[in-house]
Amino acid sequence: MRCKNCGAGISDWAEHCPRCGTNPTMKSRPARSPEKNRGKFFLTIIVVVSIAVIAAAVYYYLRHRPVSPSGSGGEKVEVIQPSGTAGGPSGTAGGPLDKPRLIVPVVEAGPQAAKEGYNAFMGGDYERAAVLFRRALQERPPEGRRDSREDDVFKNNLAQSLFALGWKEFESRSFHRAKGLFLEAFELKDDPAFLKGAAYSAIELNELAAAAKTLEGMAASDREAAGLLKGIYARLGQEEKERGLSELAAGYFEKALAIDPSDAGIKAALGDIRRQGREEAGMREKRGSHFIVKFEGGENAVTGHLMGLLLEEAYYRIGAEMGFYPGDKITALLYSDERFRDVTRTPSWAGAIYDGRIKIPAGGVAGRTKLLEDVILHEYTHAVVHRLSMGMAPVWLNEGLAQYFEGKKGDDYRDVLKTAIFRGVSLKAIEGSFMGLTPSEAGAAYALSLSATEYLIREFGIFSVKKVLQAIGEGNSIDRAMSSSIYLSYDQFEEGWVKSAKRAQSAVERQTPLRGARQEGAGHFSATL
């Protein structure tokens, strides 16, 4: 027979092969050819590389996977976005700025504090997660024995927790805290999303210049940042326009157009500034302590002087009641009736307007009249409301307060108010501009505005009106502003006002109509805006 190991011939009774010493009765593995060995080697390499690729993919998924704060398996995508809106200025196209949609990644790694932080994050407790991840960073080994990759994980986790907590605070309208959390997150990890969160918060705080500075560096490469920045420039332009600083306003509008040259609304706003600049180029002006009065021609110098005196009186009278005196100078422009319509493009029933500057058709007026005093008080009140609320007050409260200081009473609108109240009303329907209303609709809107404002002042005091306006100016909704100022929701306030108005109307119907009460008929309604 032959040896099964080396193939040498041996006798049938031999116990060992004389060449290799192998026991011929034992089974041996066949010798492998070099080709087979080489194939096995390549197969081994392929398997090892495949395992490495799969491991890397798994790590990347774990490192970046979107997680659900509910802790339901980690398969859901958590999208955090603010509920607030950072809108552009009135009259610009595009509406509210886009809200960010941000996915929050987090990694489970490290010591016990880090693992507990991960679980807290998965459960939606971002504040506790931030505390635990901060502790994990503090409890790291000394620098020489520290794993830099683990440091990156801890910093990422803490930054993401602060980021998620920032949007939570944003949604609860705690914008100062949200901004601080976003900036702290950015210090830990260089992520543009964190800066955008800080910019959104700054916008809500009306810190527009700071928001613009935050975004300018990333606008060229980030479409969302560019959209935000355009809206900020547009709003800054609108604010400077309202202050009468036309050149600054034009500069901001031009920056906005450089980002989006197709925006028709911003083009129109820039065109209005250029047109108004040409129209005001020949006007004379009189500067006082708190006002700049502009008027046409030398023959109106007396009127300009009179307007300045009346505005100063309004400044101190309304300031004493509201406890507020604007620190900036307010511009008032006087026009002839024809020029007023051409410049302001207001409806026929509007007798004057405040659009950031007081505009009155009073050219040629030589003496003081009750009508002129009322108009000045009305329009100056709009300037006060604008500053207290940062231009965000609902129109019904703005117009109601202006009529209140002008000296109008709810009885002046008795018939109009009766029809509106018993037909069913909602203050939400008159929160926006009255400019597009017919004379009849405008009469009802002004009547309801004054009635609701009188109720607010009568029941809660003029100081509560100021608190509501300031709360709105801080970025709160009208509902939240009401709740924090008079401790009633917006709906509860409206319900109380409607009941009060209906009781008053019913009482009037049971009595003889008041003699001499002035009725504002829908057919000859006029008002100032």
Side-chain angles (χ1 to χ4, degrees), residues 109-119 128 132-133 135-136 139 154:
Q112 187 62 30
K115 293 177 182 178
E116 290 178 8
Y118 176 82
N119 292 332
R128 175 169 168 74
L132 290 165
F133 286 133
R135 185 187 302 167
E139 293 175 354
F154 293 163

Side-chain angles (χ1 to χ4, degrees), residues 13-26:
W13 55 86
E15 296 181 357
H16 300 283
C17 173
R19 181 182 294 177
C20 67
T22 300
N23 187 340
T25 62
M26 293 181 59

Side-chain angles (χ1 to χ4, degrees), residues 115 145 229 307 457 460 512:
K115 293 177 182 178
R145 296 160 46 199
L229 189 58
M307 297 292 284
I457 294 170
F460 304 98
T512 303

